[in-house]
Amino acid sequence: SGATGTGKELVAKGIHYNSKRSNKPFIAVNVSAIPEGLIESELFGHEKGAFTGAWQDKKGLVEEAHESTLFLDEIGDLSPTLQTKLLRLLQEGEYKPVGSVTTRKADLRFIAATNHDLKTDMDAKRFREDLYYRLNVIRFELPPLKARPQDIQMLSYHFLEKYARLNQKEIRDISPNALKALMAQDFPGNVRELENVIERGVIFCRGDTLRVRDLFLESTDKPSDPEPDGEMA
């Protein structure tokens, strides 16, 4: 749990890829991004003829995640009906595709993420109490990025490597002043905002080191004459 952009999916991937299930694909689904009428079919699959437009059998994400990890993002947005079916999957490892009378089994690690206060949602009867306690076996509360500045350097280099590769650039380092400027930012958008800043820096960088002038931070004046051998504060 944690605010938007704090890196919940990144943590989920870290759990998966450091587990015995890492040889299987990491399956992620964002509940809020799928129309409510389709989410059950996306999760559990459906059989041909189950509803209008179901021209053939469809494998669901639960089946794809068999012996792997299913990451369900924004679980606080799940409808009460789907919460009930999800509870059965968690308790019994059983589910039925839409339109099927046959119960299937699934062996999976289940990781859920939310930016909701689920206890408040429980009190308001928006989230099932039994599902909450079934989910809440091990909980990670991710604080905002400004509360963990020690992560900024590590994440910055991670995103530098990613976007240098995607943009086919030979950028290998981040200058001390650039790191200092990054550490001074509040990052209300959390890890997602930091990623955008590094991506922007990679696009504008003309050398092999990311510098302050490349980042175009809101609190930093844009330099008019870059210094080739020095570092702009």
Side-chain angles (χ1 to χ4, degrees):
S1 60
T4 299
T6 48
K8 296 186 289 295
E9 184 168 348
L10 196 64
V11 172
K13 287 181 177 179
I15 293 170
H16 172 73
Y17 289 114
N18 286 279
S19 75
K20 293 180 180 180
R21 298 172 183 256
S22 59
N23 61 327
K24 300 282 188 175
F26 174 84
I27 305 298
V29 57
N30 187 322
V31 171
S32 62
I34 301 175
E36 186 174 339
L38 297 178
I39 185 67
E40 183 177 2
S41 173
E42 286 294 312
L43 282 175
F44 303 119
H46 64 250
E47 292 197 342
K48 180 179 178 180
F51 51 84
T52 302
W55 305 114
Q56 59 186 5
D57 291 352
K58 179 183 182 297
K59 182 190 295 186
L61 295 173
V62 169
E63 185 176 350
E64 289 186 25
H66 179 63
E67 297 183 339
S68 186
T69 300
L70 177 64
F71 174 66
L72 197 57
D73 199 7
E74 306 298 352
I75 195 169
D77 294 332
L78 203 62
S79 72
T81 300
L82 263 295
Q83 288 178 33
T84 301
K85 296 185 177 183
L86 187 62
L87 179 63
R88 179 170 180 80
L89 174 65
L90 288 172
Q91 288 182 330
E92 309 296 337
E94 297 178 347
Y95 69 99
K96 288 182 181 179
V98 178
S100 175
V101 296
T102 304
T103 299
R104 299 184 184 182
K105 287 280 189 178
D107 169 20
L108 51 82
R109 168 182 284 115
F110 191 88
I111 304 177
T114 184
N115 58 11
H116 286 226
D117 183 337
L118 292 184
K119 287 189 175 181
T120 299
D121 286 355
M122 278 196 308
D123 293 339
K125 306 300 181 184
R126 291 190 297 267
F127 199 83
R128 290 182 62 111
E129 185 175 355
D130 47 5
L131 177 58
Y132 172 82
Y133 288 115
R134 185 65 188 86
L135 283 170
N136 197 29
V137 177
I138 300 174
R139 180 182 176 186
F140 296 95
E141 178 71 35
L142 297 186
L145 187 58
K146 67 179 180 180
R148 46 190 172 109
Q150 70 276 7
D151 289 352
I152 291 176
Q153 180 172 339
M154 174 189 66
L155 289 167
S156 295
Y157 274 100
H158 168 74
F159 294 134
L160 173 65
E161 180 182 357
K162 174 182 176 180
Y163 288 106
R165 182 175 65 253
L166 288 174
N167 289 278
Q168 300 180 346
K169 288 193 170 186
E170 297 293 328
I171 308 172
R172 302 180 181 88
D173 206 356
I174 304 173
S175 74
N177 277 359
L179 282 174
K180 183 179 179 180
L182 289 168
M183 298 277 283
Q185 297 296 301
D186 285 338
F187 288 116
N190 296 299
V191 177
R192 191 168 297 140
E193 182 180 355
L194 173 62
E195 181 175 5
N196 291 342
V197 168
I198 299 299
E199 181 181 10
R200 178 169 65 232
V202 167
I203 291 170
F204 284 108
C205 182
R206 297 181 179 180
D208 61 1
T209 299
L210 208 61
R211 301 187 182 277
V212 175
R213 61 174 172 259
D214 303 317
L215 303 175
F216 290 90
L217 299 171
E218 291 184 6
S219 60
T220 305
D221 293 332
K222 178 181 176 182
S224 56
D225 296 307
E227 296 181 11
D229 298 320
E231 173 62 30
M232 300 295 290

